[in-house]
Structure formats: C-alpha cells, structure tokens
C-alpha cells in the first residue's frame, strides 16, 4: 500500500511539473506565468488518479463528488488556495 501511495504521489508531482511548464510557456493562461488555478490543479490530480483507477473526488482532486467542480471551486476556493491564479484562458487538460 505504501508503495502504491508513493507511485500516485510521484505521478501527481510529474503532472504538476507538466502543468506548470505548460502554464509558463503559454502567455494566455491566467495572470502569472507558472502559477496554477484551482481548475488546473484539479485536472492534473484527475489525470494522475485515472492512471491508478482512483475516483476524482479523492484527496487532492475535487472532493465534493455530487457538486460540479466550478461550484466547488467557488464555494471552497479560499480554503483550497487563496493565492492561486485565475483560470482565464485555460481550456482544460487537453489544450
């Protein structure tokens, strides 16, 4: 179990690096290069979790399973990340 948790953590870290690099290389995402939005962070967690068949609502993803992600970001945005970038210009994980 500990090895699997480590594998998931490494994948989440790799996804984070990928998303920060992509954000930094694209002038049209958010206000600060390399600073991610809640949506970007949720997306990279979802990608990593999917590789291990973990539901999106587990820790680090979007934990309110029955509420649309955007509503959750609005409701709990300050708790998740009070200094995150905006998602303006972000078109999703497949952009």
């Amino acid at each position: 179990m500990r090895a699997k948790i480590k594998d998931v953590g490494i994948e989440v870290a790799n996804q984070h690096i990928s998303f920060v690099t992509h954000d930094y290389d694209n002038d049209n995402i958010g206000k600060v290069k390399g600073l991610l939005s809640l949506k970007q962070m949720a997306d990279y967690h979802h990608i990593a979790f999917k590789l291990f068949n973990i539901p999106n609502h587990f820790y680090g993803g979007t934990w309110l399973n029955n509420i649309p992600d955007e509503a959750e970001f609005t409701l709990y945005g300050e708790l998740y990340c009070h200094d995150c970038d905006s998602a303006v210009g972000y078109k999703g994980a497949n952009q």
Side-chain angles (χ1 to χ4, degrees):
M1 178 62 85
R2 292 180 71 85
K4 187 57 68 179
I5 291 170
K6 183 177 179 181
D7 290 344
V8 172
I10 290 169
E11 183 59 35
V12 168
N14 286 332
Q15 291 295 331
H16 177 84
I17 291 166
S18 176
F19 271 65
V20 167
T21 300
H22 179 76
D23 189 89
Y24 189 80
D25 290 343
N26 289 277
D27 290 332
N28 61 335
I29 299 175
K31 298 176 183 175
V32 179
K33 285 180 170 239
L35 183 62
L36 302 180
S37 68
L38 287 170
K39 176 67 176 148
Q40 289 168 295
M41 288 184 279
D43 282 351
Y44 76 68
H45 278 87
H46 293 175
I47 291 168
F49 290 174
K50 186 175 183 177
L51 295 173
F52 294 92
N53 296 313
I54 299 171
N56 287 345
H57 65 275
F58 272 39
Y59 181 79
T62 44
W63 59 280
L64 297 177
N65 194 29
N66 296 325
I67 295 178
D69 291 352
E70 290 305 318
E72 184 175 351
F73 296 151
T74 300
L75 185 62
Y76 291 108
E78 287 297 313
L79 293 176
Y80 282 139
C81 187
H82 62 278
D83 58 353
C84 290
D85 203 355
S86 77
V88 172
Y90 178 62
K91 296 179 176 69
N94 295 325
Q95 88 178 45

